[in-house]
Amino acid sequence: MSANTFGTLFRLTTFGESHGPAMGGIIDGCPAGLIIDNEFVQHELNRRRPGQSGYTSPRDESDSIEFLSGIFEGKSTGTPIAFIIRNTDQRSFDYDHVREAYRPSHADFTYDSKYGFRDYRGGGRSSARETLSRVAGGAIAKLLLKEVGITVKAYVQRIGEIDTAQDFSIEQLENIESSPVRCPDKAASDKMLTLINRLKAEGDTAGGVISCIIEGVPAGLGEPVFDKLQADLAKAVMSINTAKGFEYGDGFNAASMRGSEHNDIFIAAGAGKIETATNHSGGIQGGISNGADIRFRVAFKPIATIRQAQQTVNRIGESVEIEGKGRHDVCVVPRAVPIVEAMAALVIADHLLRNRSARL
Amino acid sequence: MSANTFGTLFRLTTFGESHGPAMGGIIDGCPAGLIIDNEFVQHELNRRRPGQSGYTSPRDESDSIEFLSGIFEGKSTGTPIAFIIRNTDQRSFDYDHVREAYRPSHADFTYDSKYGFRDYRGGGRSSARETLSRVAGGAIAKLLLKEVGITVKAYVQRIGEIDTAQDFSIEQLENIESSPVRCPDKAASDKMLTLINRLKAEGDTAGGVISCIIEGVPAGLGEPVFDKLQADLAKAVMSINTAKGFEYGDGFNAASMRGSEHNDIFIAAGAGKIETATNHSGGIQGGISNGADIRFRVAFKPIATIRQAQQTVNRIGESVEIEGKGRHDVCVVPRAVPIVEAMAALVIADHLLRNRSARL
Amino acid sequence: MSANTFGTLFRLTTFGESHGPAMGGIIDGCPAGLIIDNEFVQHELNRRRPGQSGYTSPRDESDSIEFLSGIFEGKSTGTPIAFIIRNTDQRSFDYDHVREAYRPSHADFTYDSKYGFRDYRGGGRSSARETLSRVAGGAIAKLLLKEVGITVKAYVQRIGEIDTAQDFSIEQLENIESSPVRCPDKAASDKMLTLINRLKAEGDTAGGVISCIIEGVPAGLGEPVFDKLQADLAKAVMSINTAKGFEYGDGFNAASMRGSEHNDIFIAAGAGKIETATNHSGGIQGGISNGADIRFRVAFKPIATIRQAQQTVNRIGESVEIEGKGRHDVCVVPRAVPIVEAMAALVIADHLLRNRSARL
Amino acid sequence: MSANTFGTLFRLTTFGESHGPAMGGIIDGCPAGLIIDNEFVQHELNRRRPGQSGYTSPRDESDSIEFLSGIFEGKSTGTPIAFIIRNTDQRSFDYDHVREAYRPSHADFTYDSKYGFRDYRGGGRSSARETLSRVAGGAIAKLLLKEVGITVKAYVQRIGEIDTAQDFSIEQLENIESSPVRCPDKAASDKMLTLINRLKAEGDTAGGVISCIIEGVPAGLGEPVFDKLQADLAKAVMSINTAKGFEYGDGFNAASMRGSEHNDIFIAAGAGKIETATNHSGGIQGGISNGADIRFRVAFKPIATIRQAQQTVNRIGESVEIEGKGRHDVCVVPRAVPIVEAMAALVIADHLLRNRSARL
């Protein structure tokens, strides 16, 4: 019900503005007895951190997490797990020039329209820095999923017009972190880097597409009719900054296929197990997981802050010119990989718990 | 929070199985004083009804709605509006052959996996007939939106490989109902019909894409960070049967664009009004409407029931052959137009009420 | 979250006005595989029905329930269970005299204040007839509880100034239905009947107190900090028409006790089981059930409709005199027994499911 | 939906264990533009703080609040308001003796039953220290209510067997803070102090009753049928540690009254305003405020920790003797006054926002 809470039973509530004292959140509904691996959580946060390579914003924050509750002797207690991440590098003067101006395709105008005023420092609540809390929450969700053999992995499939034409399995993603753009296709990865360098020189930005695979999900997760698994996944990732599209299985391509092509034939896989011969469905049928890998993709637009002069208006409608200053990425898509994984993990963890009530 | 309830303040809960006594639902949270135009609601239901043309399933149900509560002297009272639509044409014998078999790409296997058994008659709860209740709920939402000048209209953009290359404005959709496939482009419409006829002969099915436009939404609707307007729209439409993808604004195409191309420049539109010169954003920025038309698209896979023999397995993993019987559409995309509109209307109505708490 | 929905996982949504076409509701979240005993549900509804004795309102409605969904071959399917109960005896002319007048201590004035107008026929949504749907929902909850050995039983402890000084165990309530006032103490029961007869003659009404016992609840139900078991029970019963107070365990009396008196000492009960020697706590400690009987009480005010002339005002503030007409009870407390049980059963069923997520 | 979240639109989520790093919470849904008076919030926290007099626990914590988000230039921004209060005085060695033993009438046994283990330091999450976050959230709610002229005030009506027989108006509570037991009746206040001193000497504890008045609530707040105003108030206060009973208006006394006595006659109060001549209803009719003062009472049991030897068992059912050590109150009822006010303020703030959707 709450705009800053995600999930039904495994729930994450986030808070924090880009240049306020801290980001953070509360995970409520984590079952008791889960070993909380702090290093893993911090590792996930580091994956999201800017300044990991020359290709992303050099804002260097330690982003170190402090847990405030819900953990005792290394294990979750069943009570809310709160955490904060202090904002240590708040150069708010960088943003004074946008106090009055509405940056094109940013949330300045809409926040003012909604709330009457806004925390204009670094985008305030609309900053992508908010996703830090999602990654922290998602890390706890991943720990829960690990207990039942579920793995969530994502990779960059496209940056700008460079697209790896291939599909990858989760095993092929093992060395994904060695690619600075998190693309497992070496050739495509190199081209993406070349593109980013060119755009950096031009003061421009690029979008892209992320593919995500969830392996090990048992058949039965998903809650028709409104909380179908794909519906909750769609909401989860479409709530990430700059996401513009979601598809699962064959997605938009399915629109051009015949039923006879798209149908996944069931086969007996031995030991009473039933599988599908193909996976056009992307692991979900009728809104419920069928045991196959869940596969979905998310499209991201290019980020709005460019290092070129742009025309816009200010609060009172006067024409002003604006140009991106401060620290900004050319392409955030590689950094969005852990965010997409986090949101997917939150959805699956939630549905895992919800499914406990499916039967007598 | 409930799997069969959609919305936060303007809430629809639905019930009903394809071959049970009735479909229906409850709308809770509709403000008091709204004139309930029964004819309009019935008209919307009729738009979803099968058998409207030779191209859709000839199941002929009157689908007439009965309101049970929440309306007094023609107006909403602020209490729950319940409605039912009796299932009058329940030929359950049509479905006996699927009692044990798992139809490919249907929800038979996943429902059994989740619940241990299922109402196998006509798909039970997983039947698209469930969307009847959504259309009824959406009709009430549309009446509410009309009061504040908001219009929701959708049309078929693609069926199979036939795509109208054009974008349409809401004004151009005025005669949309005269196209049997609900495509405003006459040439494309004709090709789509030809395709459907061919597939009918072949016993095959097709998917497609629907475009939706929401006009008149004031700036300010949407609730960051998780209930961003696009996130709720994505969830809404991805919960419709056979939906496989969602995008808004430039969607997946935005992934290939530059920031300098994609950014929507703000301009003063007179009388203190601020607008964008272009609408790559699809009417939403930072998760909040900006006053421009909201535009999104939904991809649908071809329906799974085909009139061709298919291999599959039954509950105990034995190989069986199956072939679609009974009444089935070649392509449900035209009939999904009112469903998409209904879900979009529910989202906007909900956010309209939620936004009443945005400011002191 | 919705005003007409109760529960988190086991959820009841109700609808219906006293003189509209039907009362009804939807139970969402009932686990699949529960045998739905229609006769038991109807029996519960009959227990609530007016006209069971000379002491309650002679409105004679069959109140027969029709299930519309969620049940297949006699068992719950895991999908929403919808039901309706037609209103067959709608003598709306009885209420024409209150169309404009505000009856003292009724909801006429407050509904008008909130919604701007109201369905004035028989109290509309504010009628106690709404509790029919609660009893139906509670009956399903009771069937679920029975599966795990939990029983909910209530009885009348007080009517007006007549109070049975005793506490009863659940076993002593076996013949409770043979008392026309549902009080297990024969002497008190007789005095209550005498009081009711006298008040009937006087055209006056009485309130009372109901005691409820829930037996067989395992230790561990309840969700601190806000959804403590007593908090949810309090909300549940305080939402019943005319309820004025709630207490559990020693309740208001506990306020006068010493810690040394009130504390329940733990003892080993054999086989590793731990119990309390006394039950001042009423079966709940720290918001969580401790395995002892849960005991609570609910106070009801006398109903507002009396057969005496009363002064009041109408919508425009003019002085008018009003006198109760139509069919009205002298004391609804005996009929509230199944309603209190139903609300308690809904709470326990919900917490039973919620507790499934407490541990890894 | 979440056990640690309270409210629908104005929502408080709390976290923190007695001896963990910090207590805190998130307020989500506070409208933008509210001036956040930090001093007032701190003042409210101070009112709850132990060690205010010789009669309460001498644990001396500064309990100073830090806001982490949601406030910009002194005003709420419409985004989540997060706050923390560090636990500075964590003498966990005080509690080592209860690591294995189940203290009578504490939550040790039930937490273990539910979660499998517990943070045993100072009661962990079950500690009344959790109410700090409620007082902080309630303080923000009070600031919101002040904007529309609503005041919430509570006082101690009873401690042990000492009860002020009088009813007080909100005006008479102006100097309430000058009474060390927060009772406006000087004679009763003195007797209460005498009682507390005697119990301190005896190593025993006392419960009591708090009365609360909410003034200035407009007619129309409350959401039938389940979220009636009294139902939400009941849940709110029954979720406070040691609360055992709730009643509003004439409460349990109403059970002994006649309808003709209890009914509140409506009168014209001039200027089109309609009022009731009496207030037996406690300001709520049909679940909706009627414009009169809302009045309710809460009963609290004596706290369980006494300075006397008590028999109990440990985790494995062995008999052990236990005696209260550390810092403990004789009677927490005076300190519960700001907690009751906070919970009431949260309920009214929430319903104030919810009511914005009542009408077209």
Side-chain angles (χ1 to χ4, degrees):
Chain A
M1 289 297 161
S2 173
N4 295 284
T5 299
F6 187 82
T8 292
L9 291 182
F10 190 98
R11 290 161 68 87
L12 172 67
T13 303
T14 76
F15 66 84
E17 281 79 45
S18 172
H19 286 63
M23 314 308 290
I26 299 175
I27 299 150
D28 197 10
C30 183
L34 182 68
I35 294 169
I36 305 299
D37 178 345
N38 285 13
E39 272 181 56
F40 174 72
V41 179
Q42 187 62 55
H43 168 76
E44 290 291 285
L45 291 175
N46 294 349
R47 289 177 69 210
R48 197 215 71 100
R49 196 167 55 191
Q52 300 171 83
S53 71
Y55 310 105
T56 56
S57 149
R59 173 166 172 166
D60 186 10
E61 311 218 26
S62 62
D63 285 349
S64 90
I65 193 167
E66 181 190 10
F67 286 105
L68 299 177
S69 65
I71 303 170
F72 184 60
E73 297 179 343
K75 287 188 296 184
S76 63
T77 58
T79 63
I81 300 171
F83 58 86
I84 57 171
I85 299 140
R86 292 275 171 188
N87 292 328
T88 52
D89 179 21
Q90 305 162 23
R91 277 177 282 174
S92 64
F93 52 84
D94 272 348
Y95 296 93
D96 278 1
H97 65 296
V98 294
R99 189 194 295 250
E100 298 298 322
Y102 291 141
R103 292 170 296 162
S105 288
H106 272 279
D108 306 334
F109 170 68
T110 53
Y111 268 65
D112 266 10
S113 297
K114 185 175 191 69
Y115 300 114
F117 79 119
R118 72 184 194 282
D119 179 348
Y120 53 78
R121 300 167 303 163
R125 182 70 176 152
S126 76
S127 165
R129 188 160 169 76
E130 177 268 330
T131 57
L132 252 184
S133 306
R134 302 180 181 216
V135 172
I140 304 290
K142 281 182 175 182
L143 291 171
L144 179 62
L145 297 183
K146 202 179 161 192
E147 293 283 326
V148 292
I150 299 172
T151 312
V152 182
K153 282 277 182 199
Y155 62 93
V156 171
Q157 180 194 304
R158 164 183 285 259
I159 286 181
E161 59 277 12
I162 315 296
D163 191 295
T164 166
Q166 309 168 54
D167 259 351
F168 292 88
S169 71
I170 214 161
E171 289 73 25
Q172 293 174 291
L173 302 180
E174 214 179 333
N175 300 314
I176 185 81
E177 295 299 305
S178 66
S179 159
V181 288
R182 293 201 170 102
C183 175
D185 173 346
K186 181 75 175 76
S189 183
D190 289 347
K191 284 187 203 158
M192 289 171 183
L193 285 172
T194 307
L195 173 64
I196 289 172
N197 281 328
R198 205 183 71 221
L199 292 175
K200 195 175 188 178
E202 294 172 4
D204 218 332
T205 58
V209 174
I210 286 175
S211 276
C212 185
I213 310 168
I214 315 173
E215 193 190 56
V217 179
L221 304 199
E223 304 285 330
V225 295
F226 293 114
D227 297 352
K228 293 189 170 114
L229 202 51
Q230 71 271 30
D232 279 0
L233 286 168
K235 171 161 178 161
V237 297
M238 290 307 296
S239 74
I240 300 173
N241 302 37
T242 75
K244 297 299 286 187
F246 167 89
E247 58 179 7
Y248 78 106
D250 284 359
F252 275 84
N253 284 341
S256 314
M257 293 168 77
R258 300 287 172 265
S260 55
E261 280 178 280
H262 186 276
N263 281 355
D264 292 317
I265 300 305
F266 285 108
I267 53 173
K273 207 168 174 314
I274 291 171
E275 289 182 353
T276 55
T278 48
N279 190 14
H280 299 292
S281 299
I284 306 172
Q285 293 178 325
I288 299 172
S289 60
N290 69 359
D293 283 0
I294 292 173
R295 300 190 76 115
F296 67 85
R297 273 164 299 281
V298 198
F300 295 90
K301 66 163 190 168
I303 52 173
T305 302
I306 57 177
R307 288 185 173 278
Q308 300 178 6
Q310 293 180 94
Q311 277 305 121
T312 189
V313 299
N314 63 15
R315 288 175 67 102
I316 53 169
E318 294 167 337
S319 229
V320 291
E321 199 181 78
I322 202 167
E323 187 172 337
K325 293 181 192 170
R327 306 146 304 186
H328 299 290
D329 292 326
V330 169
C331 179
V332 289
V333 180
R335 283 178 57 203
V337 165
I339 305 168
V340 167
E341 289 176 8
M343 293 310 297
L346 287 167
V347 170
I348 303 300
D350 191 32
H351 277 277
L352 199 65
L353 297 183
R354 293 180 75 175
N355 195 45
R356 291 186 179 182
S357 297
R359 299 195 197 186
L360 205 53
Chain B
M1 290 296 161
S2 173
N4 296 283
T5 299
F6 187 82
T8 293
L9 291 182
F10 191 99
R11 290 162 67 87
L12 172 69
T13 303
T14 75
F15 66 83
E17 281 79 45
S18 172
H19 287 62
M23 315 308 290
I26 300 175
I27 299 150
D28 197 9
C30 183
L34 182 68
I35 295 170
I36 305 299
D37 178 344
N38 285 14
E39 272 181 57
F40 174 72
V41 178
Q42 189 62 54
H43 168 76
E44 289 291 285
L45 292 174
N46 295 350
R47 290 177 67 209
R48 196 214 73 101
R49 196 168 56 191
Q52 300 171 84
S53 71
Y55 310 104
T56 56
S57 149
R59 174 168 173 167
D60 186 9
E61 310 217 27
S62 63
D63 285 349
S64 91
I65 193 166
E66 181 191 8
F67 286 105
L68 299 177
S69 65
I71 303 170
F72 185 60
E73 298 179 342
K75 287 187 297 184
S76 63
T77 58
T79 66
I81 300 171
F83 57 88
I84 58 172
I85 300 140
R86 293 275 171 187
N87 292 328
T88 52
D89 179 22
Q90 306 162 24
R91 278 177 282 174
S92 63
F93 52 85
D94 272 348
Y95 297 92
D96 278 1
H97 65 295
V98 295
R99 189 195 296 250
E100 297 298 322
Y102 291 141
R103 291 169 297 163
S105 289
H106 271 278
D108 305 335
F109 169 69
T110 53
Y111 268 65
D112 266 11
S113 297
K114 185 175 191 70
Y115 300 114
F117 80 118
R118 72 184 193 282
D119 180 348
Y120 53 78
R121 301 166 303 164
R125 182 69 176 152
S126 75
S127 164
R129 188 159 169 75
E130 176 268 331
T131 55
L132 252 185
S133 306
R134 301 180 182 216
V135 173
I140 304 290
K142 281 182 177 182
L143 290 172
L144 179 61
L145 296 183
K146 203 178 159 192
E147 293 282 327
V148 291
I150 299 172
T151 312
V152 182
K153 283 277 182 196
Y155 63 92
V156 172
Q157 180 194 304
R158 164 183 285 258
I159 286 181
E161 60 277 13
I162 315 297
D163 192 294
T164 166
Q166 309 168 54
D167 259 350
F168 292 87
S169 70
I170 215 160
E171 288 73 28
Q172 293 174 292
L173 303 179
E174 212 177 336
N175 301 313
I176 184 80
E177 296 299 305
S178 66
S179 160
V181 288
R182 292 201 170 102
C183 175
D185 172 346
K186 182 74 175 71
S189 182
D190 289 346
K191 286 186 202 161
M192 289 170 183
L193 286 172
T194 306
L195 173 65
I196 288 172
N197 281 329
R198 205 182 72 221
L199 292 174
K200 196 175 190 177
E202 294 170 5
D204 218 332
T205 57
V209 174
I210 286 175
S211 277
C212 185
I213 310 167
I214 315 172
E215 193 189 58
V217 179
L221 303 199
E223 302 285 329
V225 295
F226 292 115
D227 297 351
K228 292 187 170 116
L229 201 51
Q230 72 271 29
D232 279 0
L233 286 168
K235 169 160 180 162
V237 297
M238 290 307 296
S239 75
I240 300 173
N241 302 40
T242 76
K244 296 298 287 186
F246 167 87
E247 59 179 8
Y248 77 106
D250 284 359
F252 275 85
N253 285 340
S256 313
M257 293 168 77
R258 301 286 172 267
S260 56
E261 280 178 279
H262 187 276
N263 281 354
D264 292 318
I265 300 305
F266 285 108
I267 51 172
K273 208 168 175 313
I274 291 171
E275 291 182 352
T276 55
T278 49
N279 189 15
H280 299 291
S281 300
I284 305 172
Q285 293 177 325
I288 300 171
S289 61
N290 69 359
D293 282 1
I294 293 174
R295 300 191 76 115
F296 67 85
R297 273 163 299 282
V298 197
F300 295 90
K301 67 163 187 165
I303 54 174
T305 303
I306 56 177
R307 289 184 172 279
Q308 300 178 4
Q310 294 180 94
Q311 277 305 120
T312 189
V313 299
N314 64 15
R315 288 178 67 102
I316 55 170
E318 294 167 338
S319 228
V320 291
E321 199 181 80
I322 201 168
E323 187 173 337
K325 293 180 190 169
R327 307 145 304 186
H328 299 290
D329 292 325
V330 168
C331 180
V332 290
V333 180
R335 282 178 58 204
V337 164
I339 305 168
V340 167
E341 289 175 8
M343 293 310 297
L346 287 167
V347 170
I348 303 299
D350 192 31
H351 277 277
L352 200 64
L353 297 184
R354 294 180 74 175
N355 195 46
R356 290 187 179 181
S357 297
R359 301 195 196 184
L360 205 54
Chain C
M1 290 299 157
S2 172
N4 295 284
T5 299
F6 187 82
T8 293
L9 290 182
F10 191 98
R11 291 161 68 87
L12 172 68
T13 303
T14 75
F15 66 83
E17 281 79 44
S18 173
H19 287 64
M23 315 307 290
I26 299 175
I27 299 151
D28 197 10
C30 183
L34 182 68
I35 294 170
I36 304 300
D37 178 344
N38 284 13
E39 272 181 55
F40 173 74
V41 178
Q42 187 62 54
H43 168 75
E44 289 290 285
L45 291 175
N46 295 348
R47 289 177 69 210
R48 197 215 72 100
R49 195 167 56 192
Q52 299 171 84
S53 72
Y55 310 104
T56 55
S57 149
R59 174 167 172 166
D60 186 9
E61 309 217 27
S62 63
D63 285 348
S64 90
I65 193 166
E66 181 191 8
F67 286 105
L68 299 177
S69 65
I71 302 171
F72 184 60
E73 297 178 342
K75 287 188 296 184
S76 63
T77 57
T79 64
I81 300 171
F83 58 87
I84 58 171
I85 300 140
R86 292 276 171 188
N87 291 328
T88 53
D89 179 20
Q90 306 161 22
R91 277 178 282 175
S92 64
F93 52 84
D94 273 347
Y95 296 92
D96 278 1
H97 64 297
V98 295
R99 188 194 295 249
E100 298 298 323
Y102 290 141
R103 292 169 297 162
S105 289
H106 272 280
D108 305 335
F109 170 68
T110 53
Y111 267 66
D112 266 10
S113 297
K114 185 174 190 70
Y115 300 114
F117 78 119
R118 72 185 193 281
D119 179 349
Y120 52 79
R121 301 166 304 162
R125 182 69 176 152
S126 75
S127 165
R129 188 161 169 75
E130 176 269 331
T131 57
L132 251 185
S133 306
R134 301 180 181 217
V135 172
I140 305 290
K142 281 182 175 182
L143 291 171
L144 178 62
L145 297 183
K146 203 179 160 191
E147 293 282 327
V148 292
I150 299 172
T151 312
V152 182
K153 282 278 182 198
Y155 63 92
V156 171
Q157 180 194 303
R158 165 183 284 258
I159 287 181
E161 60 277 13
I162 315 297
D163 191 295
T164 167
Q166 309 167 53
D167 259 351
F168 292 88
S169 71
I170 214 160
E171 290 73 27
Q172 294 174 293
L173 302 180
E174 213 179 335
N175 300 313
I176 184 81
E177 296 299 305
S178 66
S179 159
V181 288
R182 293 201 169 102
C183 175
D185 173 347
K186 181 74 175 75
S189 183
D190 290 346
K191 283 187 202 160
M192 290 170 183
L193 286 171
T194 306
L195 173 64
I196 288 172
N197 282 329
R198 205 183 72 220
L199 292 176
K200 195 176 189 177
E202 293 171 5
D204 218 331
T205 59
V209 174
I210 286 175
S211 277
C212 185
I213 310 168
I214 314 172
E215 195 189 55
V217 179
L221 304 199
E223 303 285 331
V225 296
F226 293 115
D227 297 352
K228 293 187 170 115
L229 202 50
Q230 71 272 29
D232 279 0
L233 286 168
K235 170 160 178 161
V237 297
M238 290 307 297
S239 74
I240 300 173
N241 302 39
T242 76
K244 296 299 287 187
F246 167 88
E247 58 179 8
Y248 77 107
D250 285 358
F252 275 85
N253 284 340
S256 313
M257 293 169 78
R258 300 288 173 264
S260 56
E261 280 177 280
H262 187 274
N263 280 356
D264 292 318
I265 301 304
F266 286 108
I267 53 173
K273 207 169 173 315
I274 291 171
E275 289 182 353
T276 55
T278 48
N279 190 15
H280 298 292
S281 299
I284 306 172
Q285 293 177 326
I288 299 171
S289 61
N290 68 359
D293 283 1
I294 292 173
R295 299 191 76 114
F296 68 83
R297 273 164 299 281
V298 197
F300 295 90
K301 66 163 189 167
I303 53 173
T305 303
I306 57 177
R307 288 185 173 279
Q308 300 177 5
Q310 293 180 94
Q311 278 305 120
T312 189
V313 299
N314 63 15
R315 288 176 68 103
I316 53 169
E318 294 167 336
S319 229
V320 291
E321 197 180 81
I322 202 168
E323 187 172 338
K325 293 181 191 170
R327 307 146 305 186
H328 299 290
D329 292 325
V330 169
C331 179
V332 290
V333 180
R335 282 178 59 204
V337 164
I339 304 168
V340 167
E341 289 176 7
M343 292 310 297
L346 287 167
V347 170
I348 303 299
D350 191 32
H351 278 276
L352 200 64
L353 297 183
R354 293 180 75 175
N355 195 45
R356 291 186 178 181
S357 298
R359 300 196 197 184
L360 205 54
Chain D
M1 289 294 162
S2 173
N4 296 284
T5 299
F6 187 82
T8 294
L9 290 183
F10 191 99
R11 290 162 67 89
L12 173 69
T13 303
T14 75
F15 67 82
E17 281 79 45
S18 172
H19 287 62
M23 316 306 291
I26 300 175
I27 299 151
D28 197 10
C30 182
L34 182 67
I35 295 169
I36 305 300
D37 178 344
N38 285 15
E39 272 180 56
F40 174 73
V41 178
Q42 189 61 55
H43 168 75
E44 289 291 285
L45 291 175
N46 295 349
R47 289 177 67 209
R48 197 214 72 100
R49 196 168 54 191
Q52 300 171 82
S53 71
Y55 310 104
T56 56
S57 149
R59 173 167 173 165
D60 186 11
E61 310 218 28
S62 63
D63 286 349
S64 89
I65 193 167
E66 181 190 10
F67 286 105
L68 299 177
S69 65
I71 302 170
F72 184 60
E73 298 180 342
K75 288 187 296 183
S76 63
T77 57
T79 65
I81 300 171
F83 57 88
I84 58 171
I85 299 141
R86 293 274 170 187
N87 291 328
T88 52
D89 179 22
Q90 307 162 23
R91 277 177 283 174
S92 64
F93 52 83
D94 271 349
Y95 297 92
D96 278 0
H97 65 297
V98 296
R99 190 194 295 250
E100 298 299 322
Y102 291 142
R103 292 169 297 163
S105 289
H106 271 279
D108 305 335
F109 170 69
T110 52
Y111 268 64
D112 266 10
S113 298
K114 186 176 191 71
Y115 300 114
F117 79 118
R118 72 184 193 282
D119 179 348
Y120 52 78
R121 301 166 303 164
R125 182 68 176 152
S126 75
S127 164
R129 188 159 169 76
E130 175 269 329
T131 55
L132 252 185
S133 307
R134 301 180 182 217
V135 173
I140 305 291
K142 281 182 176 182
L143 290 172
L144 178 62
L145 297 183
K146 203 178 159 192
E147 293 282 328
V148 291
I150 299 172
T151 312
V152 182
K153 283 276 182 198
Y155 63 93
V156 171
Q157 181 194 303
R158 165 183 285 258
I159 287 181
E161 60 276 13
I162 315 297
D163 192 295
T164 166
Q166 310 168 54
D167 259 351
F168 292 88
S169 70
I170 214 160
E171 288 73 28
Q172 292 174 291
L173 302 179
E174 212 179 334
N175 301 314
I176 185 79
E177 295 299 305
S178 65
S179 159
V181 288
R182 291 200 171 103
C183 175
D185 173 346
K186 181 72 175 74
S189 182
D190 290 346
K191 285 187 202 161
M192 289 170 183
L193 286 172
T194 305
L195 173 63
I196 288 172
N197 281 329
R198 206 182 70 222
L199 292 175
K200 195 175 190 179
E202 294 171 6
D204 218 334
T205 57
V209 175
I210 287 175
S211 276
C212 185
I213 310 168
I214 315 172
E215 194 189 58
V217 179
L221 303 199
E223 302 285 330
V225 294
F226 293 115
D227 297 351
K228 292 186 171 118
L229 202 51
Q230 71 271 31
D232 279 0
L233 286 167
K235 169 159 180 164
V237 297
M238 290 307 297
S239 75
I240 300 173
N241 301 39
T242 76
K244 296 299 287 186
F246 167 87
E247 59 179 8
Y248 78 106
D250 285 358
F252 275 84
N253 284 341
S256 313
M257 293 168 77
R258 300 288 173 266
S260 57
E261 280 178 278
H262 187 275
N263 281 355
D264 292 317
I265 300 305
F266 286 108
I267 52 172
K273 207 167 175 314
I274 290 170
E275 290 182 353
T276 56
T278 48
N279 191 14
H280 298 291
S281 300
I284 306 173
Q285 293 177 325
I288 300 171
S289 61
N290 69 359
D293 282 1
I294 292 174
R295 300 191 75 114
F296 67 84
R297 273 164 297 283
V298 198
F300 294 90
K301 66 162 187 165
I303 54 175
T305 302
I306 57 177
R307 291 186 170 277
Q308 300 178 5
Q310 293 180 95
Q311 277 306 119
T312 189
V313 299
N314 63 16
R315 287 177 68 102
I316 55 170
E318 294 166 337
S319 228
V320 291
E321 200 182 78
I322 202 169
E323 189 174 335
K325 293 180 192 169
R327 306 147 303 186
H328 298 291
D329 292 325
V330 169
C331 180
V332 290
V333 180
R335 281 177 57 203
V337 164
I339 304 168
V340 167
E341 289 175 7
M343 293 310 297
L346 287 167
V347 170
I348 303 299
D350 191 32
H351 277 277
L352 200 65
L353 297 184
R354 293 180 76 175
N355 195 46
R356 290 187 179 181
S357 297
R359 300 195 196 184
L360 206 54

